[in-house]
Amino acid sequence: MKRGKVWAGMTLASLLLSGVGFTIAETNHSGGHKPGHEISKVPVTKRMALDLPSAAKEGLKLTMREHLEAIDAIVGALGREDFAGAATLTNEELGFPKHHVAMQREQGATFPPEYHELAMAHHQAAEALGAVIPTKDLKQILPHLEQTIHACVKCHQVFRLQD
Ligand code: HEC
């Protein structure tokens, strides 16, 4: 039992580390990367700059920091085998309800269609994760957790905020 938990924790940790190992060329695949790739270093200048009013920019950054805290809390809950807690966090903090919170904070600012698509793909990946967590089967949960984190990485590789 204890060993199982340690194993799950290690798998989650290595998954988080490998979750950032994608290159732009691979972003069209949905989770079809090969393991062992290096972390891509997409130069900031290659990313599209979002020119937002400062209030919308602050709102976006707040949402992002909450996203990272949500991932932290979800992985923690899974490590403790608190599946109900992990599912609630996933659905509320990363699923479609969060999109409405994010939009309010962005105060009607306009985004390129590609940004919108990446945002939708990220909420969709989270909803799929939320749906499999109640199975309590890490073999099903971990690939969805990976895809959820990969959706964050994909958007960060394409967009940045204008200074
Ligand atoms: C649809 C696009 C998109 C998605 C999806 C997305 N982000 Fe972001 N995120 C951004 C952009 C754009 C920035 C600004 C980055 C920059 O200027 O370099 C950002 C910045 C951040 C920051 C820095 C916030 C700050 O205060 O500066 C964190 C942390 C972050 N994102 C976490 C996440 C996590 C975790 C996820 C997934 C659960 C996620 N993001 C999903 C677009 C996205």
Side-chain angles (χ1 to χ4, degrees):
M1 187 65 189
K2 203 168 170 233
R3 275 186 67 172
K5 278 191 186 163
V6 170
W7 179 86
M10 282 170 60
T11 307
L12 286 170
S14 64
L15 195 127
L16 280 176
L17 290 172
S18 71
V20 291
F22 302 96
T23 65
I24 273 273
E26 287 168 311
T27 56
N28 291 333
H29 300 245
S30 52
H33 69 287
K34 295 170 206 81
H37 279 188
E38 291 188 3
I39 291 175
S40 75
K41 297 187 180 71
V42 181
V44 172
T45 48
K46 289 257 167 77
R47 292 184 276 147
M48 274 183 263
L50 296 167
D51 190 10
L52 301 179
S54 68
K57 202 187 278 187
E58 287 315 308
L60 185 143
K61 288 203 259 183
L62 172 61
T63 303
M64 292 297 155
R65 291 191 299 269
E66 287 176 357
H67 280 354
L68 183 56
E69 285 185 33
I71 294 281
D72 179 31
I74 291 161
V75 172
L78 290 174
R80 290 190 306 276
E81 297 182 11
D82 173 11
F83 295 101
T88 304
L89 279 163
T90 303
N91 294 325
E92 289 179 4
E93 292 298 324
L94 298 178
F96 285 107
K98 191 70 178 185
H99 182 63
H100 299 295
V101 175
M103 287 211 319
Q104 271 170 0
R105 287 176 180 164
E106 286 149 16
Q107 308 185 348
T110 46
F111 287 84
E114 199 180 355
Y115 186 92
H116 190 71
E117 277 167 32
L118 287 163
M120 283 300 128
H122 136 81
H123 294 301
Q124 214 151 8
E127 296 263 329
L129 171 63
V132 295
I133 289 175
T135 65
K136 305 184 181 183
D137 177 5
L138 286 179
K139 283 200 173 122
Q140 289 185 61
I141 296 168
L142 290 181
H144 282 282
L145 179 61
E146 179 188 21
Q147 279 163 31
T148 301
I149 297 171
H150 186 49
C152 318
V153 174
K154 270 165 92 169
C155 189
H156 294 162
Q157 287 178 333
V158 178
F159 288 101
R160 66 180 170 91
L161 288 170
Q162 183 83 270
D163 296 329

